C-alpha cells in the first residue's frame, strides 16, 4: 500500500515535542541528558526514553508557570489523538473496520471534542490563590465541613494532584476567610431586609449542647416582594451560663438593633410556651418607645403550636406511664425468642386477627413511636389475652380497664400525630393553616373532659389547662390569619366558635371582628402617612408621584382626605362581603394575594405581615422529639463568633444555591438521649 510505503521511509528525528521548550538537550560522551530550564534537574534525554517522563516532571515542577502546564496538557492531548490516527493506518482491514465501528458514534466523538476544548481553555487561565481560598471557605461553610479539614492528609493530597500551585494554609487562616465571607454576606442580608416594604416576624429558638451550654437562635420570617415566604437566620447567640430573664430580653433587643429591624417587627414567636411573659413585656416596651405597636401589640406575642401539642402529649404519656410499661413488657416478651414469636403468631391466626403489622418497641426520644406501639398492640388485644390465660411466664398482662385506657389515649394521640404531621410537613407554612387544626384540638379536649371515666377526664382536664394558656395568647392571631384566607373569611371563625363557645359565641366572634378592624385601621393610618411623605419606617406603600414639578399634588392630597374614610372601610368590607373563594387542593394563598393586591392595597399589606407569622417553630426532624434542640459537638466546640458566622452564612448560602424550603431548618442538631 502507498501509505505503508511512505511511512516506511526513515526520516531524521527532530525534537518536535513541545516538551523540549522546557528542556535543554546536552550530550556528554554517549549519554544524552535533558536539563529542565526551570529547576536545572537532569533527566534522561535519549531518543529511546521518549518524553513521558519529561512531561511528568513538568507537572510536578514547582518553578514552572500554570500557563506552561496547560499548554503541555494540550500538547499531550494532541499527541495522543495523532498517535491514535497513525495506529489505525497500520492495522489490518478487518481490524480497522471494527475499530471504526467502535469509535464512529457521534456521542463518543463529541465527548472527545468537548474534553479537548475544556483542556485547551485552561491555557487562557491563570491560577488565583486568593480566589481558591475564598472558594474553599465557601465550600466549608455551605457543606458544614470542619475547619480542620484543610490539615487532613487526604485533602492535601487530593488538592495537590488537582492543582499543585495551591498553597495550603492553616485552619486559623481559613477561619479568618470564613469570617470575612460572613461579614460580606451579612451586609447583603442587611440591605435586603431593610429594603423590604413589609414587616418581619422573628422566631426565637433555644438550643443546648452536649456540654449543657445554651444558645439562642433568631430567625427572621417574612414574605418578600414577589409574595414568597422566606426565612433567614440572623443570629446564633451563645448565652452566659448564669443568664437571667433580663439578659434574654436584652440579647434579643440588641440583635434587633444590630440589624436595625426593631421598627419593622410585627410579631415574635417563642418555641417554648413556658417563656415568662415579663421577657415579652420588656421587649414590647423597648420597641414601643420608638414606634407604637400595631393594635396595641395584641398579635405581638405568639407561641409555637407544635410545642403546645408536645406539652399536651407529654401529660398524656405521664398519665399512662404504668400502662405503657406493661405494653413494652408484653412486646418484649413476645419478641424475646423465635419460639414465643411463632406461638403468638399462631394464636393471632387461630382467633382470626387479620392484622399484618409487626409488634414494635417505641423509642424514648420520639413520642409518635409510642403511639405506633400502642396502636399495634391494641390490634392484637385478643391474642395477648389468650396468651395471658395459657402462658404463665407472661407477666406483663393488662387488665380490662387498662386496655380501655390504652385504647382511649391511643385515639387521643392519633389526633395529635395527624395534626403534627400537617404542621411539620407543610412546605409553605403560612399562618392561615393553623386555625382549623387548633380548633379541632380545642373541640376534642372539651369532649374528652366530659368522659365518665375519672382517670381519663382528669387527664383531659390537665391537658386542656395547658391548651387554654396557649389559646388565650394566640387565638386572635390564629383567627385573623384564617380570616385573611379568601376561602374562609369570617365564616370559619363563626363555624368553629359556635362549637367551642356555644351561647357566648357571638360575643367571641365580635371580639375577633373588632380586632381585625382595629388592625386594619392601623394599617390605613400607615398608608395615609406614606401618601403624605412621612411614613413610619417599615410600613410603606409606593407613593403616587415622584415628579417634583407635578402641579396636581394638592389635588391628590384633597382626593385622599375627602375619600379617606370611605376607601379604608370599603377595602376591608369589600373583601369580607364578597363570596368566599372555592376550596381546592391547588390553592396558593400567597399567589391569590399577589394577584389581588391592586384590589386590596391596604388589606394586602396587612395580609403580607400576618401570613408570614411563624405559628410553629419546630422543624420536621424535631416535631415528635421529647428533647430540645441539641447542637452537635463540633459546632459547640467553636468560639462564639465563629459558630455564629458558620451557622448564619450556611443558611444564607443554602437559600441562594437552591430552591430552599422555608420550613426546613439546618440539620445541626443531635438527638437528645
Amino acid at each position: 500500500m502507498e501509505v505503508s510505503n511512505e511511512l516506511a521511509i526513515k526520516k531524521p528525528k527532530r525534537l518536535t515535542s513541545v516538551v523540549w521548550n522546557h528542556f535543554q538537550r546536552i550530550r556528554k560522551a554517549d549519554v544524552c541528558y535533558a536539563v529542565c530550564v526551570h529547576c536545572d534537574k537532569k533527566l534522561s534525554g535519549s531518543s529511546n526514553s521518549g518524553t513521558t517522563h519529561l512531561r511528568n516532571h513538568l507537572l510536578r515542577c514547582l518553578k514552572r508557570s500554570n500557563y506552561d502546564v496547560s499548554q503541555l496538557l494540550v500538547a499531550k492531548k494532541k499527541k495522543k489523538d495523532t498517535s491514535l490516527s497513525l495506529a489505525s493506518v497500520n492495522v489490518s482491514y478487518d481490524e480497522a473496520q471494527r475499530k471504526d465501528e467502535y469509535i464512529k458514534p457521534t456521542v463518543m466523538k463529541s465527548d472527545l471534542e468537548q474534553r479537548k476544548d475544556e483542556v485547551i481553555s485552561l491555557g487562557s487561565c491563570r491560577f488565583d490563590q486568593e480566589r481558591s481560598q475564598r472558594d474553599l471557605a465557601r465550600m466549608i461553610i455551605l457543606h458544614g465541613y470542619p475547619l480542620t479539614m484543610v490539615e487532613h492528609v487526604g485533602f492535601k493530597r487530593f488538592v495537590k494532584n488537582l492543582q499543585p500551585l495551591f498553597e495550603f494554609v492553616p485552619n486559623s487562616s481559613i477561619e479568618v476567610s470564613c469570617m470575612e465571607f460572613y461579614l460580606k454576606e451579612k451586609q447583603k442580608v442587611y440591605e435586603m431586609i431593610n429594603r423590604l416594604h413589609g414587616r418581619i416576624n422573628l422566631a426565637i429558638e433555644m438550643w443546648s449542647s452536649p456540654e449543657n451550654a445554651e444558645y439562642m437562635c433568631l430567625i427572621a420570617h417574612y414574605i418578600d416582594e414577589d409574595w414568597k415566604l422566606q426565612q433567614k437566620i440572623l443570629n446564633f447567640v451563645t448565652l452566659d451560663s448564669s443568664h437571667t430573664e433580663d439578659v434574654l430580653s436584652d440579647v434579643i433587643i440588641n440583635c434587633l438593633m444590630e440589624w436595625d429591624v426593631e421598627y419593622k417587627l410585627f410579631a415574635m414567636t417563642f418555641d417554648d410556651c413556658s417563656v415568662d411573659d415579663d421577657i415579652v413585656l420588656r421587649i414590647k416596651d423597648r420597641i414601643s418607645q420608638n414606634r407604637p405597636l400595631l393594635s396595641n401589640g395584641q398579635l405581638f406575642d405568639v407561641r409555637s403550636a407544635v410545642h403546645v401539642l408536645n406539652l399536651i402529649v407529654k401529660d398524656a404519656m405521664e398519665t399512662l406511664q404504668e400502662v405503657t410499661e406493661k405494653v413494652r413488657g408484653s412486646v418484649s416478651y413476645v419478641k424475646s425468642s423465635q419460639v414465643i414469636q411463632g406461638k403468638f403468631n399462631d394464636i393471632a391466626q387461630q382467633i382470626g386477627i387479620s392484622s399484618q403489622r409487626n409488634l414494635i418497641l417505641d423509642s424514648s426520644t420520639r413520642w409518635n413511636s409510642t403511639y405506633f406501639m400502642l396502636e399495634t398492640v391494641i390490634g392484637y388485644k385478643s391474642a395477648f389475652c389468650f396468651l395471658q390465660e395459657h402462658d404463665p411466664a407472661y407477666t406483663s398482662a393488662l387488665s380490662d380497664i387498662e386496655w380501655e385506657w390504652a385504647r382511649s389515649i391511643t385515639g387521643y394521640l392519633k389526633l395529635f400525630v395527624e395534626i403534627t404531621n400537617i404542621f411539620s410537613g407543610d412546605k409553605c407554612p403560612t399562618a392561615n393553616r393553623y386555625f382549623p387544626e387548633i380548633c379541632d384540638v380545642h373541640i376534642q379536649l372539651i369532649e374528652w373532659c366530659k368522659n365518665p371515666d375519672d382517670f381519663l377526664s382528669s387527664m383531659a382536664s390537665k391537658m386542656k389547662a395547658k391548651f387554654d394558656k396557649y389559646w388565650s395568647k394566640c387565638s386572635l392571631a390564629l383567627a385573623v390569619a384564617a380570616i385573611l384566607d379568601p376561602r374562609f373569611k369570617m365564616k370559619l371563625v363563626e363555624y368553629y366558635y359556635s362549637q367551642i363557645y356555644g351561647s357566648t359565641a357571638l360575643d367571641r366572634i365580635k371580639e375577633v371582628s373588632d380586632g381585625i378592624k382595629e388592625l386594619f385601621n392601623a394599617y390605613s393610618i400607615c398608608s395615609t402617612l406614606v401618601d403624605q411623605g412621612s411614613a413610619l419606617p417599615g410600613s410603606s406603600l409606593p407613593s403616587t408621584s415622584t415628579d417634583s414639578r407635578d402641579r396636581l399634588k394638592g389635588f391628590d392630597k384633597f382626593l385622599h382626605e375627602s375619600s379617606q374614610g370611605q376607601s379604608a372601610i370599603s377595602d376591608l368590607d369589600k373583601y369580607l362581603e364578597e363570596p368566599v373563594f372555592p376550596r381546592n387542593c391547588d390553592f396558593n394563598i400567597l399567589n391569590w394575594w399577589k394577584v389581588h393586591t391592586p384590589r386590596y392595597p391596604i388589606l394586602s399589606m396587612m395580609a403580607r405581615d400576618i401570613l408570614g407569622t411563624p405559628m410553629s417553630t419546630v422543624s420536621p426532624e424535631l416535631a415528635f422529639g421529647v428533647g430540645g434542640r441539641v447542637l452537635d459537638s463540633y459546632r459547640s466546640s467553636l468560639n462564639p463568633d465563629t459558630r455564629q458566622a458558620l451557622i448564619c452564612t450556611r443558611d444564607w448560602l443554602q437559600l441562594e444555591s437552591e430552591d430552599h424550603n422555608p420550613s426546613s431548618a439546618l440539620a445541626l442538631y443531635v438527638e437528645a438521649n
Side-chain angles (χ1 to χ4, degrees):
M1 296 177 60
E2 284 187 22
V3 176
S4 300
N5 292 335
E6 291 176 1
L7 289 174
I9 300 174
K10 293 184 179 181
K11 296 182 180 180
K13 292 186 177 180
R14 294 179 300 163
L15 303 179
T16 57
S17 174
V18 71
V19 76
W20 289 107
N21 294 335
H22 304 271
F23 289 90
Q24 183 178 2
R25 195 171 192 180
I26 299 176
R27 178 183 296 274
K28 290 185 179 181
D30 295 333
V31 181
C32 288
Y33 296 98
V35 181
C36 178
V37 298
H38 304 291
C39 65
D40 296 329
K41 184 173 182 178
K42 291 183 179 180
L43 294 92
S44 173
S46 171
S47 58
N48 296 328
S49 300
T51 58
T52 301
H53 65 297
L54 302 181
R55 287 193 181 88
N56 292 338
H57 167 75
L58 284 180
L59 292 174
R60 293 190 297 269
C61 181
L62 298 179
K63 294 187 178 182
R64 88 286 179 263
S65 68
N66 192 54
Y67 177 82
D68 292 335
V69 173
S70 301
Q71 294 298 318
L72 188 64
L73 291 174
V74 173
K76 186 175 182 179
K77 185 69 178 177
K78 289 181 177 178
K79 181 176 181 180
K80 182 178 179 181
D81 295 342
T82 304
S83 299
L84 180 63
S85 62
L86 290 175
S88 62
V89 178
N90 295 322
V91 296
S92 64
Y93 176 80
D94 293 337
E95 291 175 343
Q97 186 177 14
R98 288 194 298 270
K99 189 175 186 68
D100 289 341
E101 292 174 355
Y102 176 74
I103 65 173
K104 205 170 186 179
T106 56
V107 175
M108 294 295 294
K109 184 176 181 181
S110 62
D111 288 346
L112 184 63
E113 292 176 351
Q114 182 179 359
R115 290 195 299 271
K116 183 176 179 180
D117 292 341
E118 290 174 353
V119 173
I120 293 175
S121 66
L122 292 174
S124 60
C125 300
R126 286 188 177 274
F127 172 67
D128 188 334
Q129 171 71 23
E130 185 177 348
R131 178 178 178 180
S132 296
Q133 189 165 325
R134 287 198 306 268
D135 289 343
L136 175 59
R138 188 181 192 278
M139 180 189 73
I140 289 175
I141 294 171
L142 182 59
H143 299 290
Y145 297 142
L147 295 172
T148 54
M149 74 170 291
V150 298
E151 298 179 352
H152 294 172
V153 175
F155 175 76
K156 288 185 175 182
R157 183 173 182 177
F158 169 75
V159 173
K160 202 64 178 177
N161 288 333
L162 192 66
Q163 177 49 266
L165 286 180
F166 183 80
E167 297 178 5
F168 291 98
V169 294
N171 61 346
S172 57
S173 298
I174 289 297
E175 185 175 356
V176 171
S177 298
C178 290
M179 292 299 298
E180 293 173 350
F181 204 100
Y182 161 70
L183 294 175
K184 181 179 178 181
E185 294 299 316
K186 181 179 180 180
Q187 183 63 29
K188 294 180 183 178
V189 176
Y190 175 88
E191 294 172 357
M192 182 277 302
I193 288 180
N194 283 273
R195 284 197 305 266
L196 291 173
H197 289 298
R199 292 175 171 83
I200 68 168
N201 299 278
L202 198 66
I204 311 295
E205 296 181 355
M206 302 303 296
W207 290 68
S208 63
S209 74
E211 295 77 24
N212 296 322
E214 294 189 15
Y215 314 98
M216 179 184 291
C217 183
L218 282 73
I219 308 175
H221 295 253
Y222 59 92
I223 295 175
D224 63 19
E225 306 308 314
D226 197 35
W227 284 89
K228 301 293 184 183
L229 186 62
Q230 305 287 356
Q231 70 174 46
K232 289 185 183 296
I233 296 180
L234 300 184
N235 296 92
F236 197 90
V237 185
T238 303
L239 300 175
D240 187 86
S241 57
S242 59
H243 70 271
T244 61
E245 294 176 358
D246 293 339
V247 172
L248 289 178
S249 57
D250 289 341
V251 168
I252 295 173
I253 292 171
N254 290 337
C255 290
L256 293 174
M257 296 178 67
E258 175 188 347
W259 289 91
D260 288 335
V261 294
E262 65 273 14
Y263 63 85
K264 296 176 72 73
L265 191 60
F266 179 79
M268 294 183 65
T269 302
F270 291 87
D271 63 345
D272 190 346
C273 292
S274 61
V275 170
D276 199 313
D277 293 342
D278 290 340
I279 296 177
V280 182
L281 288 175
R282 291 190 190 94
I283 299 173
K284 289 172 66 174
D285 291 342
R286 181 64 178 274
I287 293 176
S288 59
Q289 291 177 4
N290 300 323
R291 176 184 64 83
L293 292 172
L294 293 172
S295 193
N296 295 321
Q298 294 184 70
L299 307 182
F300 183 79
D301 184 10
V302 180
R303 305 300 167 97
S304 173
V306 172
H307 186 265
V308 74
L309 295 183
N310 284 343
L311 290 179
I312 294 173
V313 168
K314 184 178 179 181
D315 283 341
M317 293 296 190
E318 291 176 352
T319 303
L320 198 66
Q321 185 174 1
E322 292 185 8
V323 176
T324 305
E325 287 297 332
K326 288 187 176 182
V327 171
R328 290 192 187 102
S330 299
V331 175
S332 298
Y333 177 75
V334 171
K335 297 174 71 69
S336 61
S337 71
Q338 293 183 353
V339 175
I340 299 177
Q341 179 75 67
K343 178 181 178 181
F344 183 82
N345 293 340
D346 292 340
I347 293 174
Q349 187 175 4
Q350 290 174 9
I351 62 180
I353 296 178
S354 58
S355 176
Q356 300 296 319
R357 300 177 63 178
N358 295 324
L359 296 175
I360 57 173
L361 282 172
D362 63 341
S363 168
S364 59
T365 61
R366 300 184 66 82
W367 64 262
N368 62 329
S369 66
T370 303
Y371 160 72
F372 292 128
M373 179 186 71
L374 292 172
E375 184 186 41
T376 304
V377 167
I378 289 171
Y380 287 97
K381 175 186 174 182
S382 300
F384 279 107
C385 291
F386 189 91
L387 187 67
Q388 176 186 0
E389 296 175 359
H390 297 83
D391 189 347
Y394 172 47
T395 59
S396 300
L398 280 69
S399 64
D400 291 340
I401 188 64
E402 288 174 333
W403 277 112
E404 181 59 29
W405 290 344
R407 185 192 62 78
S408 297
I409 294 180
T410 300
Y412 301 169
L413 294 179
K414 181 180 181 180
L415 173 66
F416 296 122
V417 168
E418 292 173 349
I419 294 179
T420 302
N421 280 328
I422 292 173
F423 289 165
S424 62
D426 197 339
K427 294 182 178 180
C428 187
T430 47
N432 61 300
R433 301 293 301 272
Y434 291 81
F435 181 75
E437 306 298 339
I438 295 298
C439 285
D440 280 341
V441 173
H442 199 168
I443 294 170
Q444 290 301 320
L445 285 171
I446 294 173
E447 293 300 317
W448 296 344
C449 289
K450 299 176 183 179
N451 195 302
D453 188 298
D454 292 338
F455 176 84
L456 295 174
S457 61
S458 175
M459 181 200 67
S461 298
K462 187 178 179 182
M463 296 163 66
K464 190 174 183 298
K466 281 189 171 62
F467 178 86
D468 288 343
K469 184 178 179 181
Y470 166 80
W471 181 256
S472 65
K473 287 183 177 295
C474 303
S475 59
L476 181 59
L478 292 167
V480 170
I483 293 171
L484 293 173
D485 189 328
R487 300 170 298 173
F488 303 136
K489 302 186 178 181
M490 283 296 299
K491 295 298 182 181
L492 193 66
V493 176
E494 296 169 0
Y495 169 74
Y496 276 114
Y497 274 29
S498 62
Q499 300 178 60
I500 293 172
Y501 294 111
S503 59
T504 62
L506 291 179
D507 294 335
R508 299 290 187 173
I509 293 171
K510 186 177 185 303
E511 290 177 3
V512 174
S513 178
D514 292 343
I516 192 171
K517 288 179 180 179
E518 182 180 354
L519 184 63
F520 177 78
N521 291 336
Y523 274 86
S524 298
I525 294 174
C526 291
S527 68
T528 301
L529 294 174
V530 170
D531 292 335
Q532 295 176 355
S534 57
L536 291 174
S539 55
S540 59
L541 284 173
S543 59
T544 55
S545 175
T546 58
D547 187 359
S548 60
R549 298 174 60 93
D550 187 357
R551 301 182 183 278
L552 292 178
K553 279 187 176 180
F555 171 74
D556 292 337
K557 183 177 180 181
F558 166 78
L559 184 64
H560 177 80
E561 291 176 350
S562 62
S563 60
Q564 177 181 346
Q566 294 85 348
S567 63
I569 295 173
S570 64
D571 198 4
L572 176 61
D573 288 348
K574 179 169 55 178
Y575 169 78
L576 294 177
E577 290 172 0
E578 290 175 350
V580 296
F581 192 81
R583 289 200 308 124
N584 61 76
C585 59
D586 297 328
F587 178 75
N588 186 314
I589 189 170
L590 298 183
N591 284 345
W592 191 93
W593 277 106
K594 179 180 179 180
V595 171
H596 290 81
T597 294
R599 183 171 179 79
Y600 311 109
I602 300 175
L603 194 61
S604 63
M605 185 169 62
M606 189 172 83
R608 185 199 300 270
D609 298 338
I610 293 174
L611 295 176
T613 304
M615 293 298 178
S616 178
T617 61
V618 180
S619 63
E621 297 85 357
L622 289 174
F624 298 100
V626 297
R629 301 176 180 85
V630 182
L631 198 65
D632 60 41
S633 298
Y634 161 63
R635 289 181 179 84
S636 61
S637 66
L638 300 170
N639 72 67
D641 290 338
T642 303
R643 177 168 45 244
Q644 175 173 255
L646 294 178
I647 290 175
C648 292
T649 314
R650 183 189 187 198
D651 177 65
W652 304 336
L653 292 179
Q654 284 184 329
L655 291 171
E656 292 178 359
S657 62
E658 59 187 29
D659 187 13
H660 193 64
N661 178 8
S663 65
S664 65
L666 293 177
L668 303 175
Y669 65 91
V670 294
E671 290 289 350
N673 295 324

